[in-house]
Structures are given as C-alpha cells and as structure tokens.
C-alpha cells in the first residue's frame, strides 16, 4: 500500500521586544544568568502582570501579513503544569480564544507556489532554561536560569497540510524570512528564537481520514526538521509495512546521529486545566488598531518577489534570491540601472553575496562602504560596456576597500580602459592588416576564424577591450573590406 505523509508544524517565534511579555525586565540574549528577573517573571505572590503592547503589535503585524482573522476579544489563559524552569507552575498563553485564527503562508515547493493554511497564532510567554545534569565532585546538579522566563513568544500552528519534509523546509524558510522582514524576530533557530515541533502521520494515499500522529520535539535547525521528519516518515512506514500500528508518542530527534528516540507514549491527553488568567484583562483589538497594524507592514516578501519578476523581468530564481531579505531587496532596487535589471541581478547574486559570505558581512556592512548610488554607477558602466570583464572584476574588488568614483579608482590604479570606438578602431584595423590570411578566410565564409581575430584584438588591448564591442567593430570593418 502507498502511504501519504501528513505533517503539521507548531512553531514558536521569540519576539525581539525590549522587555518581557508581562513585566519590564529586559529581553536580551546572553545576559548574566538570573540577572533579568523581577517578582512578576519569578511568579512571586501578589505580583501583577501587564501585557506588553509592543508584543501585541508584533503579533498583529504577523497576523495581518498572513491574512488571519483577528479576534476583537482574545483571552490569556493559564496552562497549569509543573516544571523546574517555570516558577509560576503555569504558563500564560492563549487557549480557546487566540488572537489570530486562520490565515495562510505562501511558499514554493518544487517550483510550485502553494498556500499553507494556518490554524492559529497566539501570544504567550517563554519558560526559563534548565542546564542539567552537571557533575560537581561526586554530586550531580541541575541549574536554572530565569532570564528567559516571560520572554514574549508567538505560537503559530499550521493545519496538517504539509506533505513532505521538503515542504516543511520551505515553510520554515518562508516563516523565518517573514519574521525578519517584519522586524519582529531575528528568527535564529540556533539561538532558539525560532523553534519547531512537527506532528507526523501517514494515511493510505487518497484517503481523507488521518492516521495516528506522533510528535517530534526539539528540532533546532531547519535541516534538522527536514531530516527528523524524513526519519519519522521512514519509521512509521516500516511499522505499517510490518502490519503493526503506529502508537501515539512524543519523540526526540538526535540530529548528530540521525536517530529518533521515543520520549513518552501518550495514552491520555494532558490535562492542563486551562482557565482564563484572572490577573489579565481580556485583550481587546479595535478595528482601527487592526487596520493600523496592517498598514504598518512593509511590502511583503512574496509580493515583492512577484513584483521583481514582473517589473524587472527577472527569472523566478533571481527574484527569490534577491528577496531573501528585505535589506538585500531594498539595496537591489536602489542600485539597479534602468533597463539593466538582469546584469544588476547577476552582480548582486554572485559577486556581492560572495563577499558578504566570505567576510561575514550584512547588507548594511556592505552598503556602509558601497552606497547604492555608487554601486549603481558601477553597474551602469558595466552595462554600457565601458568596463570590460577583467577590469570590472578589479573595480568591484576596490569598491568596498577604497573611496572614490569609478573614474577615480581607475585613475588611482593606472588602468586605462580601451573602450569606445575611438580607442578600439585602430586596434581592430591593425589586426586586420597584420592577418591577411585569416581575414581572407573569414571573407570567404569561414566564420570559425572570426574568433581568432577577436582574440587578437583582445590581446592587443591587453584584455581591456569589451568583447562585444570588438566583435561589432570587426564585423563593421570586414563588411567594408568585402564591399571594397
Ligand atoms: Zn520580570
């Protein structure tokens, strides 16, 4: 029997607000352990929480970007359970009345655009962090850091509509691009700013009913999600092929060894005894606030990607690479010379991104050295064939290292560009004079020899001529000779 995987993802996005979700403690990564705590996030008796307005604003930006329905009234609830890194013994989250419902994230899988339907997005707080166990002499200790306790999170849950590990990768990549684009999170999975659990089940191909699902926890990289989900699909396929049933369970994926371990089997659903948090008022979002959040969103990444394809006639691949980040796409738009979008795209995608990668620079690091107007001038001159290939590469190398206009750079390095008819025509004529044999062959229709003549002119120009220009002038001179 053929089995069809069905995957749903639960993602946690850590918001980059200045303070925590329900208190004024700083929300910073890597501070001195237990330095950023107060009675509210330590859950001391009598402390009163207050919702962070910026976190709500960020949730509204994400919700409106994804076309979710925004509830006019949503409710914070307590999810009760004990865990050593959660001092209150409950987590403040949203349960039956979440802030955002429905919505869709556009992704591309295998070249095909798709919309991945969402169930909900809600606001909640993070737990602290445990470190354990550690050996101290003959004792084993666990330590806990509450700095993360109370950091704002958005939980985003998809419908079970993803059908392959590759689709999970596309989804997470698109989500990471979006939260960075909106400026609401750095979305770094290694730092836990974006986390993901996956629900995986198999069903007979063509069947509408869902099979028994298992939950994969602690997936801490996009590659890890793809490989963990693939391993779980393989495991469930083997179970079903042997005539057994899949047991509902929670699994851990060990990315280093590509191994799954069953953490616990779920015989009963947890009873978290959710109830509305009596310390927090109902979260009310007016129509005007919802509209304002939508209006504050920039042009969204998929809209910009589509516009790049149309406005600049770029291939889908180029448009996707150039809109990987808002900063890169802004820079591209600011430096593209009119009518030469593809040339600009080639230079940005290959040379510029290579430098960023090699030097571990951000787009801002690059543009601090090479403002868009300066790069535009460079691209304009490349497009106008004023800078032959090898010279263009040299100039590109000087751009981030030295100040000055392109003309000043050429002057400073003593590079004379043989471009334009004036400089090239004498070289072309000289080559034709010096090579009567090949000239006769080309005139007799042996076009293969034409390349030889181009090569001779390039050599005479010491690599400074633009090949297209040389070809054009050679054809012109040869045509004059054949008429003569
Ligand atoms: Zn606090």
């Amino acid at each position: 029997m053929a089995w069809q995987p069905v995957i749903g993802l639960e993602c946690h996005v850590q918001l980059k607000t200045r303070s925590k979700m329900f208190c004024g403690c700083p929300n910073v990564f890597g501070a001195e352990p237990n330095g950023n705590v107060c009675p509210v996030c330590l859950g001391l008796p009598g402390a009163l929480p207050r919702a962070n307005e910026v976190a709500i604003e960020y949730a509204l930006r994400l919700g409106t970007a994804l076309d979710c329905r925004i509830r006019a009234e949503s409710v914070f609830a307590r999810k009760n359970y004990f865990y050593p890194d959660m001092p209150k013994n409950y987590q403040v989250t949203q349960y039956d009345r979440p802030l955002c419902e429905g919505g869709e994230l556009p992704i591309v899988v295998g070249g095909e655009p798709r919309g991945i339907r969402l169930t909900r997005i809600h606001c909640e707080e993070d737990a602290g962090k445990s470190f354990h166990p550690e050996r101290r002499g003959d004792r084993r200790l666990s330590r806990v850091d509450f700095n993360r306790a109370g950091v704002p999170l958005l939980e985003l849950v998809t419908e079970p509509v993803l059908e392959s590990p590759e689709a999970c990768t596309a989804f997470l990549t698109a989500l990471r691009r979006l939260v960075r684009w909106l400026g609401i999170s750095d979305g770094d999975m290694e730092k836990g700013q974006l986390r993901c659990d996956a629900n995986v089940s198999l069903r007979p191909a063509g069947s509408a009913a869902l099979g028994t699902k298992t939950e994969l926890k602690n997936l801490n990289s996009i590659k890890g999600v793809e490989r963990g989900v693939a391993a779980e699909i393989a495991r469930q396929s083997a179970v079903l092929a042997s005539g057994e049933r899949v047991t509902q369970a929670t699994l851990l994926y060990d990315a280093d060894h590509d191994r799954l371990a069953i953490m616990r089997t779920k015989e009963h659903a947890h009873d978290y005894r959710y109830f509305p948090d009596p310390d927090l008022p109902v979260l009310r979002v007016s129509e005007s606030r919802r509209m304002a959040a939508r209006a504050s969103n920039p042009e969204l990444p998929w809209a910009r990607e589509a516009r790049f394809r149309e406005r600049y006639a770029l291939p889908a691949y180029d448009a996707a690479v150039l809109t990987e980040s808002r900063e890169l796409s802004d820079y591209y738009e600011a430096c593209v010379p009119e009518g030469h979008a593809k040339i600009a795209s080639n230079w940005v995608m290959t040379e510029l991104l290579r430098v960023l990668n090699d030097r571990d620079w951000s787009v801002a690091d690059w543009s601090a050295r090479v403002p868009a107007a300066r790069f535009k001038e460079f691209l304009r001159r490349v497009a106008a064939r004023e800078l032959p290939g090898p010279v263009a590469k040299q100039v590109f190398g000087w751009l981030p290292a030295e100040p000055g206009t392109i003309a000043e750079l050429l002057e400073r390095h003593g590079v004379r560009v043989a471009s334009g008819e004036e400089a090239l025509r004498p070289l072309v004529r000289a080559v034709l004079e010096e090579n009567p044999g090949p000239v006769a062959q080309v005139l007799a229709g042996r076009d293969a020899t034409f390349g030889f003549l181009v090569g001779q002119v390039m050599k005479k120009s010491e690599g400074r001529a633009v090949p297209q220009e040389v070809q054009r002038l050679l054809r012109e001179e040869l045509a004059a000779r054949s008429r003569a």
Side-chain angles (χ1 to χ4, degrees):
M1 189 184 290
W3 298 95
Q4 170 65 55
V6 179
I7 308 148
L9 298 178
E10 288 178 25
C11 305
H12 285 95
V13 178
Q14 210 177 65
L15 297 177
K16 58 172 183 187
T17 50
R18 290 223 304 275
S19 57
K20 293 188 182 180
M21 186 67 216
F22 298 109
C23 62
C25 290
N27 169 20
V28 286
F29 184 80
E32 183 73 12
N34 296 310
N36 298 332
V37 290
C38 74
V40 172
C41 56
L42 285 177
L44 301 187
L48 281 175
R50 222 180 114 178
N52 182 330
E53 286 299 314
V54 176
I56 306 296
E57 194 60 42
Y58 286 1
L60 291 173
R61 272 197 220 166
L62 184 64
T64 52
L66 294 169
D67 275 334
C68 301
R69 292 184 302 279
I70 309 291
R71 268 184 181 273
E73 295 191 347
S74 68
V75 172
F76 288 108
R78 292 186 180 180
K79 180 182 182 181
N80 298 281
Y81 61 102
F82 171 78
Y83 207 77
D85 61 18
M86 199 178 59
K88 297 198 293 274
N89 289 341
Y90 61 82
Q91 177 194 24
V92 181
T93 178
Q94 295 190 301
Y95 183 52
D96 54 349
R97 281 160 285 175
L99 182 60
C100 313
E101 292 169 303
E104 195 172 277
L105 176 65
I107 67 168
V108 177
V109 191
E112 292 293 314
R114 289 191 49 193
I116 301 302
R117 280 183 290 119
L118 309 177
T119 311
R120 59 191 279 156
I121 305 174
H122 67 251
C123 302
E124 61 183 31
E125 58 177 346
D126 210 343
K129 217 171 173 179
S130 304
F131 300 87
H132 52 153
E134 280 176 13
R135 266 186 197 290
R136 287 274 170 89
D138 56 356
R139 289 191 305 156
R140 284 156 69 85
L141 309 172
S142 288
R143 292 182 303 153
V144 62
D145 177 6
F146 291 118
N147 282 351
R148 203 179 68 177
V151 162
L153 291 181
L154 295 182
E155 180 173 322
L156 179 151
V157 183
T158 76
E159 291 285 293
V161 288
L162 294 149
E163 286 163 350
S164 65
E166 296 73 30
C168 297
T169 298
F171 181 88
L172 287 168
T173 308
L175 178 62
R176 186 179 60 186
R177 172 171 78 162
L178 179 62
V179 299
R180 288 176 175 172
W181 195 282
L182 298 176
I184 64 173
S185 173
D186 288 331
D188 190 337
M189 283 191 93
E190 262 90 73
K191 289 185 182 159
Q193 293 160 341
L194 177 61
R195 283 169 255 159
C196 178
D197 300 336
N199 291 308
V200 181
S201 65
L202 297 185
R203 66 177 165 201
S207 151
L210 293 170
T212 305
K213 70 177 178 188
T214 58
E215 188 179 10
L216 250 68
K217 287 252 179 218
N218 289 10
L219 299 163
N220 51 15
S221 70
I222 292 181
K223 203 80 231 159
V225 174
E226 179 167 334
R227 292 174 54 199
V229 167
E232 178 55 9
I233 290 170
R235 190 190 69 86
Q236 288 189 21
S237 302
V239 168
L240 293 168
S242 70
E244 303 281 316
R245 287 172 163 210
V246 172
T247 321
Q248 197 177 347
T250 302
L251 297 100
L252 285 180
Y253 176 67
D254 175 356
D256 295 336
H257 304 95
D258 191 25
R259 260 203 315 255
L260 289 162
I262 293 188
M263 199 160 86
R264 59 173 180 261
T265 53
K266 269 189 195 167
E267 272 151 22
H268 308 284
H270 283 280
D271 186 353
Y272 292 114
R273 304 269 167 152
Y274 284 99
F275 64 88
D277 192 313
D279 288 341
L280 286 159
V282 167
L283 174 58
R284 292 197 166 80
V285 177
S286 65
E287 177 68 6
S288 63
R289 185 168 184 197
R290 187 180 64 74
M291 303 276 278
R294 181 186 285 277
S296 73
N297 278 338
E299 180 183 28
L300 296 171
W302 47 87
R304 184 168 286 190
E305 196 177 327
R307 185 167 63 75
F308 273 20
R309 286 201 304 270
E310 284 162 28
R311 158 97 173 71
Y312 301 113
L314 290 174
Y317 177 80
D318 294 43
V321 173
L322 295 172
T323 56
E324 258 168 23
S325 76
R326 192 168 144 195
E327 294 73 20
L328 185 68
S329 62
D330 283 346
Y331 188 81
Y332 174 77
E333 285 224 280
C335 76
V336 58
E338 192 57 44
H340 299 292
K342 181 59 182 153
I343 289 177
S345 164
N346 290 347
W347 278 89
V348 170
M349 287 199 305
T350 54
E351 301 301 325
L352 195 154
L353 287 183
R354 184 179 49 75
V355 170
L356 300 194
N357 196 38
D358 287 354
R359 306 195 189 178
D360 202 17
W361 279 358
S362 64
V363 174
D365 292 330
W366 167 271
S367 63
R369 296 167 172 88
V370 190
R374 193 164 170 238
F375 200 52
K376 185 174 187 169
E377 168 65 4
F378 168 75
L379 292 170
R380 194 193 59 71
R381 295 189 61 159
V382 171
R385 296 181 176 155
E386 291 170 22
L387 300 174
V391 176
K393 283 250 164 83
Q394 275 182 306
V395 173
F396 178 84
W398 299 326
L399 279 174
E402 296 176 35
T405 63
I406 310 300
E408 283 163 356
L409 288 171
L410 291 170
E411 174 80 28
R412 190 177 308 145
H413 290 271
V415 175
R416 284 185 46 246
V417 178
S419 72
E421 283 192 40
E422 258 170 69
L424 281 181
R425 201 177 290 277
L427 303 185
V428 169
R429 286 192 174 145
V431 166
L432 295 179
E433 291 305 318
E434 289 159 20
N435 297 280
V439 169
Q441 285 177 5
V442 174
L443 289 177
R446 256 200 78 188
D447 220 41
T449 315
F450 184 71
F452 167 79
L453 294 176
V454 175
Q456 292 304 303
V457 180
M458 291 303 292
K459 206 162 146 192
K460 233 183 220 323
S461 79
E462 295 172 326
R464 309 242 181 272
V466 181
Q468 291 89 337
E469 188 72 3
V470 172
Q471 288 176 10
R472 190 180 66 76
L473 287 173
L474 263 174
R475 297 238 183 250
E476 214 175 280
E477 291 287 325
L478 284 164
R481 263 151 227 250
S482 76
R483 280 195 300 271

